[in-house]
Amino acid sequence: MPTYTAPTKDMAFILHDVLKVEQSDIPGYSELEADFTSAVLEEAGKLNSEVIAPLNVVGDHEGCRLENGVVYTPTGFKEAFEQVKEGGWTGLDMPEEFGGQNLPYVLSTSVGEMFSAANQAFTMYQGLTHGAASAILAHGTDEQKAKWLPNMVSCEWTGTMNLTEPHCGTDLGLMRTKAEPQDDGSYKISGQKIFISAGEHDMADNIIHLVLAKIPGGPEGIKGVSLFIVPKFLVDDEGNIGARNGVSCGAIEKKMGIHGNSTAVLNYDEATGYLLGEEHKGMRAMFTMMNEARLGVGMQGLAAAEVAYQNAVDYAKDRLQGRAVTGTENPDGPADPLIVHPDIRRSLMDQKSFVEGARAFIYWGAQMIDAAHRSQDADADGLVSLLTPVIKGFLTDEGYDMTVKAQQVYGGHGYIEEHGMSQFTRDARIAMIYEGANGVQALDLVGRKLAQDGGKHVMAFFNLVKEFCSENKDVEGMEPFVGPLKEASKHLQAAGMYFMQNGMKNPNHALSGSNDFMHLFGHVCLGLMWGRMAKASLTALANGTSDPTFHETKLATGRYYMARRLPATTMHLARIESGADTVMALDAEQF
């Protein structure tokens, strides 16, 4: 059975050495002293390694079952969920007035990584609740917040997001779910929603669905969509649970992965709902959930790669196969361990350098979200908005690829279920699809985010890279980082210039290169993160750190990324500059 150990040392390094959280002027960050964050991370790590991770295989093998309208979760899930709730883990960064701990989102993100790595399907129940609660917090009335949030923050009640319908996924303007106004100010919601993660289960007393629907007589298309709070059970003004609402589970999907999470078909039959936010402004409210969810899904890409890598390393050290080409390294055994072979090393270094770079990237994104929300920093808000499709799209594409590499280390044993590696690959696959498929993320990045606010935010990113390179060009030990990062940034700027010069004449020239641009951008972001981590480790070594091996390993891993992974930007730029002609050359009938 696979295992998971939280990488708390690396998490602490990013928080304190790279992001320097306790030195930040963001409100609440002064509390993030090393002793405090260490205690939180260690306790979360213990819970996840000992309680949550062992249920990952159980959830995969058992799945969820629907009986008489009730969905039963896998063995052990309910008991583990109670432990998560009792520990207060579901409301780390939520306001204290609703039962949360009001800790910064960056710390909640590091804890969330552990939960996702230990058991992605299980963690989605609380993760989706957090997103729904955030939408109510941002757009609800005072009465709505008081009525719904305390039980959602504690996960006594869980939450969902209901967008997709059988005939429409990304194009939400085609939705048919209706919301008929009632005399008492409520609405009657009728329609069907599909692919609703955690849509029905037995782990909470109530489920609070956030449902997109159209009020009759509103504008056509996406401009006519509104968002509604639709509880599974009605709740009176005193907070008491009453009668079952008109929402039922018609089926749960049979899926490639995340079997432990119930992906439901929900039927709404004149269910009572309450408008959240303004009429016909549902997408604005829903995107409060979506942006948070997309960073969380990017984190799932990192988390899946981390746990798969951990197990691949263990296997590579234990499995005896062949002899090292430079001479026997295990003379007392019949063969050398796999890890002596250069191609295995290449695979493991790909995984390690991605995981550590991705972790820094996501935590930096979470820090920007804290700056935007806690300090009303508009520049941070604009930059993280630009980077959100990169975090979601690039990290889940790459994260999935890393689980495949980890599976490959096992050879045939990675393909059978005994070792559990196939589950990591199957579970990671969904992250490339939900919360906006990665192709849509790439289109959003190129078609909307680059030009946002007159290109202000992408220029701010280029300036960040430029300043970092300028500040460190003469720093001893930084040469392997500054030169490659500078070159990769030039590739990103050249790609943007190509879009500007050719995209207006023919939009296909830009859109056919959007996926390559997203990946090019992602590599530059990880290059910047590796530059920052290298600077932190060089500083620690110069100051006489008590753990020189950690920092020397960090530098070696970073040099690998800059030399072996970052040059992919050259390929992506060449593809982008080839334009759309070859992509669009065939008529539909020729496929």
Side-chain angles (χ1 to χ4, degrees):
M1 178 184 290
T3 60
Y4 171 69
T5 302
T8 53
K9 182 183 290 187
D10 198 53
M11 293 173 170
F13 167 72
I14 294 169
L15 291 173
H16 298 289
D17 292 48
V18 180
L19 299 181
K20 302 182 185 300
V21 289
E22 68 270 42
Q23 299 175 30
S24 170
D25 59 3
I26 298 173
Y29 270 46
S30 60
E31 300 175 26
L32 300 181
E33 296 178 347
D35 288 345
F36 174 71
T37 60
S38 176
V40 172
L41 295 177
E42 292 297 332
E43 193 64 28
K46 182 178 178 182
L47 173 66
N48 279 286
S49 63
E50 297 179 3
V51 178
I52 309 301
L55 294 174
N56 198 39
V57 171
V58 176
D60 188 54
H61 288 176
E62 289 188 15
C64 298
R65 70 183 195 277
L66 174 63
E67 296 179 2
N68 300 318
V70 178
V71 171
Y72 296 93
T73 50
T75 303
F77 271 42
K78 287 181 70 172
E79 294 78 8
F81 202 55
E82 288 303 314
Q83 289 193 51
V84 172
K85 291 190 290 184
E86 289 168 7
W89 298 108
T90 61
L92 281 184
D93 63 322
M94 298 301 283
E96 291 180 276
E97 64 180 298
F98 302 117
Q101 300 181 47
N102 201 37
L103 292 170
Y105 184 60
V106 71
L107 184 59
S108 177
T109 297
S110 59
V111 170
E113 182 201 328
M114 298 184 201
F115 276 99
S116 288
N119 194 327
Q120 180 178 335
F122 175 88
T123 301
M124 288 169 64
Y125 291 96
Q126 68 206 54
L128 287 158
T129 305
H130 189 283
S134 295
I136 294 173
L137 184 64
H139 300 283
T141 64
D142 289 342
E143 293 78 10
Q144 287 174 331
K145 293 175 189 177
K147 185 172 185 175
W148 306 110
L149 287 181
N151 282 310
M152 294 180 73
V153 168
S154 68
C155 273
E156 293 301 324
W157 301 348
T158 59
T160 71
M161 50 201 302
N162 285 229
L163 294 80
T164 307
E165 299 183 8
H167 60 283
C168 72
T170 301
D171 191 354
L172 294 173
L174 298 175
M175 73 174 55
R176 297 171 184 158
T177 300
K178 299 297 183 186
E180 295 281 354
Q182 304 299 299
D183 292 339
D184 64 357
S186 67
Y187 292 78
K188 292 297 184 184
I189 312 297
S190 298
Q192 186 180 76
K193 297 290 185 177
I194 64 170
F195 303 158
I196 309 306
S197 300
E200 175 63 37
H201 60 85
D202 60 349
M203 299 199 300
D205 296 333
N206 206 353
I207 302 175
I208 313 306
H209 304 292
L210 295 195
V211 183
L212 286 177
K214 289 185 174 181
I215 300 171
E220 291 294 319
I222 199 68
K223 294 181 179 179
V225 172
S226 301
L227 185 62
F228 300 88
I229 300 171
V230 188
K232 173 182 174 180
F233 292 100
L234 297 173
V235 179
D236 66 21
D237 292 339
E238 282 71 47
N240 300 309
I241 291 178
R244 178 73 185 247
N245 204 357
V247 53
S248 60
C249 179
I252 52 175
E253 304 289 355
K254 292 181 171 63
K255 312 184 295 293
M256 176 180 175
I258 54 169
H259 296 153
N261 194 271
S262 59
T263 304
V265 175
L266 295 182
N267 298 315
Y268 292 88
D269 185 10
E270 294 192 343
T272 298
Y274 310 95
L275 182 68
L276 179 60
E278 301 176 48
E279 286 189 1
H280 317 310
K281 298 291 178 64
M283 289 309 299
R284 184 174 66 179
M286 183 60 84
F287 268 106
T288 299
M289 293 175 66
M290 293 295 287
N291 285 335
E292 177 185 307
R294 284 170 177 169
L295 187 137
V297 172
M299 183 174 65
Q300 288 178 350
L302 154 66
E306 168 67 43
V307 67
Y309 164 71
Q310 286 187 18
N311 285 275
V313 168
D314 289 344
Y315 188 81
K317 290 179 178 180
D318 290 340
R319 176 72 167 176
L320 302 181
Q321 290 284 285
R323 291 294 188 185
V325 294
T326 53
T328 298
E329 296 197 19
N330 180 31
D332 296 330
D336 290 333
L338 279 172
I339 202 164
V340 306
H341 303 300
D343 194 59
I344 295 293
R345 292 290 188 98
R346 173 200 57 79
S347 176
L348 293 175
M349 288 297 286
D350 280 353
Q351 295 166 57
K352 181 176 174 63
S353 64
F354 166 76
V355 163
E356 294 178 16
R359 179 173 296 118
F361 186 22
I362 285 177
Y363 290 14
W364 178 45
Q367 185 181 42
M368 285 189 280
I369 289 175
D370 276 330
H373 292 173
R374 290 171 172 254
S375 301
Q376 288 72 54
D377 186 333
D379 291 336
D381 189 47
L383 185 55
V384 77
S385 178
L386 167 72
L387 295 177
T388 292
V390 183
I391 291 172
K392 196 281 183 185
F394 175 70
L395 295 188
T396 58
D397 277 353
E398 289 287 301
Y400 174 79
D401 285 349
M402 296 306 154
T403 67
V404 173
K405 289 177 184 290
Q407 186 184 31
Q408 187 75 12
V409 170
Y410 281 70
H413 290 287
Y415 193 68
I416 61 175
E417 295 300 323
E418 178 185 353
H419 291 280
M421 298 304 289
S422 68
Q423 183 188 353
F424 298 138
T425 300
R426 288 185 284 105
D427 286 355
R429 186 65 183 87
I430 186 58
M432 302 161 71
I433 298 171
Y434 60 16
E435 310 307 345
N438 286 356
V440 176
Q441 300 300 319
L443 294 177
D444 179 49
L445 174 64
V446 170
R448 193 165 68 93
K449 294 295 178 64
L450 281 184
Q452 199 168 35
D453 295 329
K456 171 184 176 181
H457 307 301
V458 73
M459 292 306 300
F461 177 81
F462 288 138
N463 286 334
L464 275 176
V465 176
K466 182 179 179 180
E467 289 171 7
F468 179 84
C469 291
S470 178
E471 290 170 2
N472 293 282
K473 64 181 180 179
D474 297 322
V475 175
E476 186 177 356
M478 286 297 291
E479 301 90 343
F481 298 90
V482 171
L485 176 60
K486 189 174 181 180
E487 183 69 14
S489 180
K490 288 180 180 178
H491 294 160
L492 186 62
Q493 293 178 63
M497 185 62 67
Y498 176 84
F499 291 153
M500 288 179 60
Q501 293 173 343
N502 298 276
M504 293 296 290
K505 294 181 289 185
N506 181 358
N508 284 337
H509 284 311
L511 300 185
S512 65
S514 60
N515 185 270
D516 280 290
F517 187 81
M518 180 177 72
H519 279 255
L520 200 168
F521 209 150
H523 279 296
V524 174
C525 288
L526 261 63
L528 176 61
M529 294 301 101
W530 271 113
R532 289 179 172 177
M533 288 190 286
K535 182 67 179 294
S537 281
L538 287 169
T539 300
L541 288 167
N543 291 338
T545 176
S546 60
D547 191 359
T549 300
F550 173 87
H551 295 287
E552 289 163 358
T553 302
K554 182 67 67 175
L555 287 164
T557 306
R559 287 191 289 267
Y560 177 90
Y561 191 89
M562 306 308 278
R564 298 287 300 238
R565 301 288 294 165
L566 193 58
T569 59
T570 302
M571 173 191 69
H572 290 302
L573 177 60
R575 289 175 175 175
I576 289 166
E577 292 182 336
S578 73
D581 291 346
T582 56
V583 174
M584 306 301 292
L586 300 182
D587 293 331
E589 294 75 17
Q590 293 177 278
F591 281 91

